[in-house]
């Protein structure tokens, strides 16, 4: 089915006049200047444009975006700040075919992460791919194969992996500093707004090449705000779970050393209080079964109550993790504290987080691995990024293969799962405070999906297995053979 590979595509693509895969970059020496191009510039790409030039021996030589307005603006800002003119590209394939580029940063929407990374590796570039690692579970495997086959350095942008204080402390947790871990809870309790329901189908921005923006995904446009709001459509994004979930779930599984898929996942969630076109849940509870300890994750995009501008919290935090041990509990995010059973702080967990929320440390780590040519030097290689991102995909698969039930029956339906039940009861009250009529509303009770961690598939569950991979829109197809 997927036989149209990059070489064939390039041979057919007259628009960009590229006809062959470039030879791998000659970059290898610790003393060579590393020439970087940032691809995707509207949001986080901007911080990469500003961060990479601060690293010794690194030169940002170019910028690429399919929105010419964003591209022009960022190039102008860069020239002002660094007094250096960037080469600009409107198509990432031109970047991959440029022999004067050693490494690329993929700060493009999620549905481009898999194909962009595979193409980058095939072209001999090292790649820093933003989180989530991939848009679906299957393509992460293709990214891993491509990195290996073309001997490329690929870092996934889950930047807290570069915090040594967390690495050290999580090792202590695994050695028993909190006693036996009973459960890990992840929290992402934020506040967002409705994305509206436009009365007429929105038109792509005049400055955007919409076909290329959509790439592997369908081209139907349903959002009024072109950039960023794609997160809330399954074709491009992966819900809040796949947006901020990779950061939080990574901390959850890292803290207990869970180095494979869980054996099962279950979920409860829905989209509430907003009348808009968004498809993904804004309220989501997840539970993952691991031998080390169960992980639960709570997501809320609604404030504490209608009209409020605040966010919910749990044990004093809105974002982060709570690792509950038999002897003590850790509560933290970038930094944290250990508390005793009375809630008294008995230890602070602190360390260097560096500029840009840890991203600068993570960029430096990428550059170090590019110079050493050792994937083992990376703090977040494709495998690590994949295992954390897969938790998001697994939760979304549970959600998508579940059934709608009445919200008022949720307490009863979750009785058998104490950790989910406790969170579901709080979720119901939270929704009521946000004006949801609990007596008439529905909630999606996700299927409890069984997983074989060895094959990373769902035994005898055809419906769930179908969601391991997407349908790719030709010619933007992640190849079966990379
Ligand atoms: N590590 C982090 O902390 C962090 C933070 C924010 C975002 N992210 C990730 O970064 C990615 C981008 O997020 P964002 O908030 O900047 O999104 P955004 O929608 O604001 O910006 C994406 C940019 O990519 C461009 N683009 C889309 N397709 C392209 C293509 N084929 N070639 C070149 N440019 C293309 C768009 O035109 C846009 O300018 C997402 O995957 C997101 O999850 C990571």
């Amino acid at each position: 089915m997927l036989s149209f590979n990059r070489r064939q595509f390039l041979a057919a693509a007259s628009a960009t006049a590229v006809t062959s895969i470039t030879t791998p970059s000659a970059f290898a020496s610790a003393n060579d200047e590393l020439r970087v191009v940032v691809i995707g510039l509207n949001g986080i790409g901007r911080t990469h444009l500003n961060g990479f030039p601060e690293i010794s021996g690194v030169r940002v030589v170019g910028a690429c975006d399919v929105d010419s307005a964003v591209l022009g603006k960022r190039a102008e800002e860069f020239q002002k700040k660094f007094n250096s003119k960037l080469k600009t590209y409107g198509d990432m394939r031109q970047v991959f075919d440029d022999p004067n580029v050693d490494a690329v940063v993929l700060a493009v929407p999620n549905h481009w992460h898999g194909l962009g990374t595979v193409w980058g590796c095939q072209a001999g570039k090292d790649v820093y791919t933003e989180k989530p690692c991939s848009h679906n579970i299957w393509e992460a495997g293709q990214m891993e194969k491509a990195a290996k086959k073309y001997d490329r350095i690929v870092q996934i942008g889950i930047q807290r992996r570069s915090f040594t204080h967390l690495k050290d402390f999580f090792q202590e947790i695994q050695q028993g500093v909190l006693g036996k871990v009973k459960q890990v809870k992840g929290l992402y309790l934020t506040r967002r707004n409705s994305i509206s329901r436009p009365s007429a189908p929105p038109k792509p921005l005049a400055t955007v090449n919409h076909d290329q923006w959509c790439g592997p995904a369908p081209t139907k446009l349903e959002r009024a705000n072109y950039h960023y709001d794609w997160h809330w459509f399954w074709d491009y994004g992966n819900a809040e779970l796949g947006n901020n979930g990779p950061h939080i779930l990574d901390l959850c599984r890292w803290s207990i050393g869970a180095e494979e898929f869980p054996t099962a996942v279950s979920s409860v969630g829905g989209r509430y209080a907003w009348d808009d076109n968004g498809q993904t849940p804004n309220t989501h509870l997840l539970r993952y079964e691991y031998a080390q300890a169960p992980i639960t994750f709570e997501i809320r995009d609604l404030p504490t109550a209608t009209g409020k501008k605040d966010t919910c919290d749990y044990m004093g935090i809105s974002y982060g993790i709570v690792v509950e041990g038999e002897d003590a509990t850790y509560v933290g995010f970038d930094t944290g504290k250990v508390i005793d059973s009375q809630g008294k702080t008995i230890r602070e967990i602190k360390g260097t987080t560096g500029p840009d929320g840890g991203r600068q440390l993570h960029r430096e780590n990428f550059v170090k691995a590019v110079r050493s040519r050792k994937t083992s030097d990376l703090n977040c290689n494709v495998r690590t990024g994949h295992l954390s991102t897969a938790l998001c995909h697994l939760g979304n698969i549970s959600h998508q293969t579940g059934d709608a039930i009445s919200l008022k029956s949720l307490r009863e339906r979750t009785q058998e799962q104490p950790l989910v039940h406790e969170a579901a009861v709080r979720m119901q009250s939270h929704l009521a405070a946000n004006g949801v009529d609990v007596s008439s509303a529905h909630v999606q009770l996700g299927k409890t999906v069984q997983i074989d961690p060895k094959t990373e598939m769902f035994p005898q569950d055809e419906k769930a297995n179908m969601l391991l991979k997407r349908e790719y829109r030709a010619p933007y197809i992640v190849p079966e053979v990379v």
Side-chain angles (χ1 to χ4, degrees):
M1 184 176 63
L2 304 177
S3 57
F4 197 78
N5 65 23
R6 178 175 143 80
R7 182 179 291 279
Q8 290 166 314
F9 175 77
L10 292 177
S14 56
T16 54
V18 279
T19 52
S20 67
I21 294 174
T22 50
T23 48
S25 149
F27 184 83
S29 149
N31 300 319
D32 281 354
E33 183 181 58
L34 179 70
R35 299 160 301 178
V36 173
V37 171
V38 180
I39 305 174
L41 309 165
N42 185 56
I44 208 68
R46 182 188 202 176
T47 78
H48 288 301
L49 274 182
N50 290 330
F52 271 100
E54 303 292 342
I55 303 173
S56 168
V58 175
R59 188 153 63 94
V60 174
V61 293
C64 170
D65 204 293
V66 296
D67 183 338
S68 59
V70 172
L71 180 61
K73 190 163 175 241
R74 294 288 176 255
E76 200 183 310
E77 288 166 0
F78 189 90
Q79 179 142 19
K80 264 196 197 130
K81 179 161 183 179
F82 295 104
N83 196 22
S84 168
K85 194 171 160 58
L86 291 175
K87 182 168 177 183
T88 53
Y89 310 79
D91 182 332
M92 68 168 85
R93 290 164 292 193
Q94 296 163 342
V95 181
F96 297 141
D97 286 317
D98 189 335
N100 298 314
V101 177
D102 304 304
V104 298
V105 180
L106 280 174
V108 285
N110 305 2
H111 63 288
W112 262 109
H113 291 189
L115 188 57
T117 303
V118 169
W119 279 357
C121 291
Q122 288 177 332
K125 313 300 182 198
D126 295 313
V127 187
Y128 182 116
T129 304
E130 265 304 347
K131 65 80 200 160
C133 174
S134 62
H135 187 258
N136 62 60
I137 288 176
W138 174 80
E139 67 185 22
Q142 302 306 94
M143 293 163 71
E144 211 179 342
K145 284 182 204 155
K148 197 164 176 203
K149 177 171 175 181
Y150 298 97
D151 197 15
R152 294 295 97 196
I153 299 296
V154 181
Q155 173 96 304
I156 306 302
I158 300 178
Q159 58 269 10
R160 285 172 192 78
R161 281 276 163 175
S162 287
F163 291 174
T164 46
H165 59 286
L166 291 187
K167 184 178 174 201
D168 294 343
F169 179 64
F170 290 166
Q171 250 165 29
E172 286 190 55
I173 291 182
Q174 290 157 39
Q175 286 156 4
V177 76
L178 303 177
K180 186 174 162 27
V181 175
K182 293 195 283 186
Q183 64 156 317
V184 183
K185 189 184 270 296
L187 301 153
Y188 193 78
L189 311 175
T190 191
R191 185 179 62 83
R192 296 190 184 273
N193 296 313
S194 163
I195 62 165
S196 81
R197 190 186 292 286
S199 50
K203 290 206 165 47
L205 296 171
T207 50
V208 170
N209 180 330
H210 185 60
D211 179 74
Q212 272 190 43
W213 188 99
C214 294
T219 55
K220 189 175 172 197
L221 184 62
E222 292 172 273
R223 58 192 190 278
N225 178 36
Y226 193 86
H227 294 299
Y228 194 81
D229 284 353
W230 49 265
H231 278 293
W232 324 126
F233 295 85
W234 295 115
D235 280 333
Y236 321 104
N238 302 92
E240 189 73 272
L241 180 55
N243 184 21
N244 282 290
H247 292 305
I248 308 289
L249 285 167
D250 181 62
L251 295 175
C252 289
R253 75 166 192 89
W254 189 18
S255 69
I256 52 171
E259 290 302 326
E260 57 178 12
F261 274 35
T263 52
V265 56
S266 37
S267 68
V268 174
R271 191 173 181 89
Y272 296 99
W274 304 332
D275 177 25
D276 68 11
N277 276 356
Q279 299 168 338
T280 60
N282 62 10
T283 300
H284 215 170
L285 304 179
L286 295 304
R287 178 180 161 127
Y288 303 91
E289 309 303 333
Y290 275 110
Q292 291 87 340
I295 293 175
T296 56
F297 185 26
E298 290 188 34
I299 293 173
R300 296 183 196 179
D301 285 348
L302 299 174
T304 52
T306 312
K308 291 272 176 77
K309 300 255 179 268
D310 58 355
T311 62
C312 297
D313 70 80
Y314 179 89
M315 292 186 73
I317 58 170
S318 296
Y319 315 119
I321 63 169
V322 175
V323 186
E324 191 188 330
E326 280 180 348
D327 301 337
T329 295
Y330 169 74
V331 184
F333 188 33
D334 290 354
T335 57
K337 61 186 180 183
V338 179
I339 56 172
D340 65 14
S341 57
Q342 310 304 312
K344 191 172 148 238
T345 300
I346 50 178
R347 187 174 158 193
E348 301 274 356
I349 307 301
K350 287 189 195 150
T352 311
T353 55
D356 197 16
R359 288 182 205 96
Q360 194 61 8
L361 290 177
H362 210 47
R363 292 180 193 113
E364 285 165 8
N365 171 252
F366 171 66
V367 171
K368 178 184 167 193
V370 166
R371 295 201 186 289
S372 72
R373 306 304 314 158
K374 285 192 206 144
T375 293
S376 56
D377 278 344
L378 285 174
N379 289 335
C380 195
N381 63 17
V382 180
R383 181 74 192 155
T384 301
H386 166 51
L387 285 175
S388 300
T389 297
L391 293 179
C392 311
H393 298 322
L394 293 170
N396 283 331
I397 289 171
S398 163
H399 180 80
Q400 288 172 309
T401 54
D403 292 306
I405 61 164
S406 75
L407 185 54
K408 65 174 184 290
S409 68
L410 187 59
R411 287 170 191 244
E412 192 195 316
R413 295 289 293 269
T414 53
Q415 279 300 356
E416 309 284 287
Q417 292 179 289
L419 300 180
V420 174
H421 180 71
E422 178 268 332
V425 170
R426 279 186 289 111
M427 173 180 137
Q428 247 185 18
S429 319
H430 177 238
L431 291 177
N434 274 280
V436 176
D437 181 355
V438 175
S439 64
S440 62
H442 284 79
V443 65
Q444 181 81 350
L445 182 64
K447 185 172 178 184
T448 296
V449 181
Q450 306 298 325
I451 303 154
D452 177 351
K454 290 214 165 53
T455 59
E456 301 187 351
M457 292 180 75
F458 312 104
Q460 280 134 31
D461 191 337
E462 209 182 316
K463 211 170 153 193
N465 281 323
M466 290 287 287
L467 296 173
L468 287 168
K469 185 180 179 183
R470 79 169 314 140
E471 214 169 282
Y472 291 87
R473 187 175 68 96
Y476 304 101
I477 297 173
V478 174
E480 289 282 340
V481 178
V482 297

